[in-house]
């Protein structure tokens, strides 16, 4: 019996020691696992790329903001890297709301933000330190020092127009712009002095007045009177050659050519159509005079207007825009805002800089002198705006034809 008691006592002591060992071993493993997990999470957080997104997601411009956000989400999906997170906030297309959202980004440790879209929303952003904003505005004047204007700006458009003008050898170019909200763009074009304008004009935005102003610019009435005088002279002659000339003149509206060979019109939409139609009515054929405007984002309503034929404009890569539109439609079953391709490329730009610097984002990388290639085309960031390498297209037989 004592022997049995001793054996049981030894067994229970052994089991107690074993249980104590197992508990200590479990605790040690658990503590180590927690430590490893915490270290992994810390490393993951250090490698996390946090991108703020500041867009109008409510109010008047909600549809534009949502299209831009979907383009960013599309780029994020295609990159497929779980270490990249976006943090959308509503700017309401308002400077104060954008500023308040930017302060929240700063509190959350976000250092790079896509947005805002509109120039007016940038007003107070220069008060936010340690954040860089990639705005989708195309204005470059008085941009806050912490903001990059990523839109298709007038500087890039002037540069490619100047190269194309040199190629086709136009020398007497008129600059026309409306007395309107686009005055800053025409001022920028005129100030650059790269295109060496022959004359500049500002026209009234009232469609009823545009035709009269274009008639003055083209000296339509004088040319019409010259025709009428010549016809009267020929009608009095019986010479065969005069009779033949008379037949030709009777098919014409004016006599004599205009004193310019090209026209740049800084305008959009219906007003642009009115100006070009007025030139047509003033007997200035678009196969003799070259007509140019600024980036129109491939407005297909131009196809239905005879006056828009042979209209030239600088823009992004059309083939790539079609690819973007197709991907966007396939994903969301709706057409994108065409400008949202820039938001898609903005996320790609940030990711490219981050992944090529061992998963660490530095603002200085945005200013790479070799430039970048996005879906919208090649570009380089200088000072605080994107300098794009654009192409020249013209409207031709219900399509956009690249000419340069």
């Amino acid at each position: 019996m004592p022997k049995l008691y001793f054996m049981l006592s030894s067994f229970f002591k052994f089991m107690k020691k074993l249980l104590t060992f197992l508990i200590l071993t479990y605790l040690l493993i658990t503590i180590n696992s927690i430590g490893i997990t915490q270290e992994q999470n810390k490393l993951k957080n250090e490698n996390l790329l946090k991108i703020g997104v500041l867009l109008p997601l409510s109010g008047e411009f909600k549809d534009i903001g949502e299209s831009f956000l979907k383009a960013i989400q599309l780029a994020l999906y295609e990159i497929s890297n779980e270490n990249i997170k976006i943090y959308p906030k509503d700017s309401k297309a308002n400077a104060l709301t954008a500023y308040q959202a930017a302060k929240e980004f700063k509190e959350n440790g976000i250092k790079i933000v896509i947005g805002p879209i509109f120039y007016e929303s940038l007003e107070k952003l220069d008060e936010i330190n340690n954040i860089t904003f990639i705005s989708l505005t195309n204005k470059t004047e008085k941009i806050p020092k912490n903001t990059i204007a990523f839109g298709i700006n007038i500087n890039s458009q002037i540069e490619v127009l100047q190269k194309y003008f040199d190629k086709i050898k136009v020398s007497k170019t008129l600059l026309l712009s409306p007395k309107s909200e686009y005055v800053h763009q025409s001022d920028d074009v005129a100030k650059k002095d790269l295109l060496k304008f022959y004359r500049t004009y500002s026209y009234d935005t009232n469609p009823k007045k545009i035709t009269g102003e274009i008639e003055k610019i083209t000296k339509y009435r004088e040319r019409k009177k010259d025709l009428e005088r010549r016809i009267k002279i020929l009608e009095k002659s019986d010479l065969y050659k005069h009779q033949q000339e008379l037949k030709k003149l009777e098919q014409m509206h004016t006599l004599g050519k205009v004193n310019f060979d090209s026209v740049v019109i800084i305008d959009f939409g219906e007003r642009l159509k009115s100006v070009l139609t007025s030139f047509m009515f003033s007997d200035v054929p678009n196969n003799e005079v070259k007509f140019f405007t600024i980036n129109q984002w491939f407005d297909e309503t131009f196809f239905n207007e005879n006056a828009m034929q042979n209209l030239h404009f600088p823009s992004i890569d059309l083939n790539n825009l079609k690819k973007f539109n197709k991907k966007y439609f396939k994903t969301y079953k709706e057409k994108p805002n065409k400008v949202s391709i820039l938001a898609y490329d903005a996320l790609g730009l940030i990711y490219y800089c981050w992944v090529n610097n061992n998963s660490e984002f530095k603002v200085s990388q945005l200013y790479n002198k070799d430039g970048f290639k996005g879906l919208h085309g090649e570009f380089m960031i200088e000072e605080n705006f994107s300098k794009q390498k654009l192409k020249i297209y013209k409207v031709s037989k219900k399509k956009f034809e690249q000419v340069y």
Side-chain angles (χ1 to χ4, degrees), residues 286-316:
N286 56 24
N287 60 343
E288 292 182 12
V289 174
K290 301 285 188 184
F291 287 93
F292 298 85
T293 185
I294 54 178
N295 179 32
Q296 299 290 316
W297 286 104
F298 303 103
D299 183 352
E300 293 186 0
T301 64
F302 290 175
F303 295 162
N304 303 320
E305 308 283 341
N306 289 333
M308 310 301 279
Q309 289 300 304
N310 293 324
L311 175 65
H312 297 68
F313 59 91
S315 198
I316 66 169

Side-chain angles (χ1 to χ4, degrees), residues 109-152:
I110 292 172
K111 295 182 179 180
I112 185 73
V113 173
I114 299 174
I117 295 177
F118 302 113
Y119 179 81
E120 292 74 17
S121 300
L122 305 179
E123 186 179 341
K124 294 173 65 65
L125 294 186
D126 58 355
E127 298 176 22
I128 307 294
N129 298 320
N130 301 321
I131 293 183
T132 298
F133 298 89
I134 299 182
S135 172
L136 290 311
T137 181
N138 63 357
K139 297 182 182 179
T140 59
E141 295 292 322
K142 297 179 181 178
I143 294 291
K145 60 182 181 299
N146 59 349
T147 301
I148 293 169
F150 202 61
I152 308 302

